Amino acid sequence: MDYTERLRRLAINDASLVDGGEDTAVAALLDPVLDPRTRALVRLAALVAVGGAVPSFGAQADAAVNAGATAEEIVDVLFSVVPVTGLPRAVAAGPKLALALGYDTTEELERQPVGDQP
């Protein structure tokens, strides 16, 4: 299904895009154009925008890493969405994303007084 048909169906709120009513609609969801790495990075950006939960960040960070993304690229997603989502969203997402990457910012904050530079 080409992009114009996908957009048309979204515009008319075609329920078959999500309920599996048509084979072609299911194929549009199951056979996306984006590669798994890009899709996982986009989903991480969306989680920042909506204030996603820690487990969601973990699942998408794992998906991104498994698809070949580096930790640096994943963190860059966080900084890349700041102009759109605002700094408060990024600040709120930072510790969640850090945990997803195996880095506990809480321990760092307890060790280093605010204002001190490494």
Side-chain angles (χ1 to χ4, degrees), residues 7-8 12 17 28 32 37 54 63 68-69 76 82 86 89 94 102 105 109 118:
L7 289 172
R8 185 190 71 75
I12 64 171
L17 282 173
R37 179 183 161 280
V54 172
D76 196 45
V82 168
R89 286 281 188 185
T105 58
L109 291 173

Side-chain angles (χ1 to χ4, degrees), residues 18-111:
V18 292
D19 71 10
E22 294 181 34
D23 291 339
T24 56
V26 173
L29 292 172
L30 298 179
D31 189 23
V33 176
L34 296 176
D35 63 89
R37 179 183 161 280
T38 303
R39 196 168 43 255
L41 292 173
V42 168
R43 288 177 178 169
L44 281 167
L47 287 172
V48 174
V50 301
V54 172
S56 298
F57 276 93
Q60 290 309 313
D62 287 348
V65 168
N66 290 337
T70 66
E72 289 80 10
E73 290 172 320
I74 291 169
V75 172
D76 196 45
V77 167
L78 181 63
F79 285 89
S80 295
V81 298
V82 168
V84 176
T85 64
L87 186 59
R89 286 281 188 185
V91 169
K96 298 173 188 178
L97 188 56
L99 282 174
L101 294 172
Y103 176 60
D104 189 351
T105 58
T106 304
E107 291 177 6
E108 288 297 318
L109 291 173
E110 291 171 356
R111 279 192 287 178

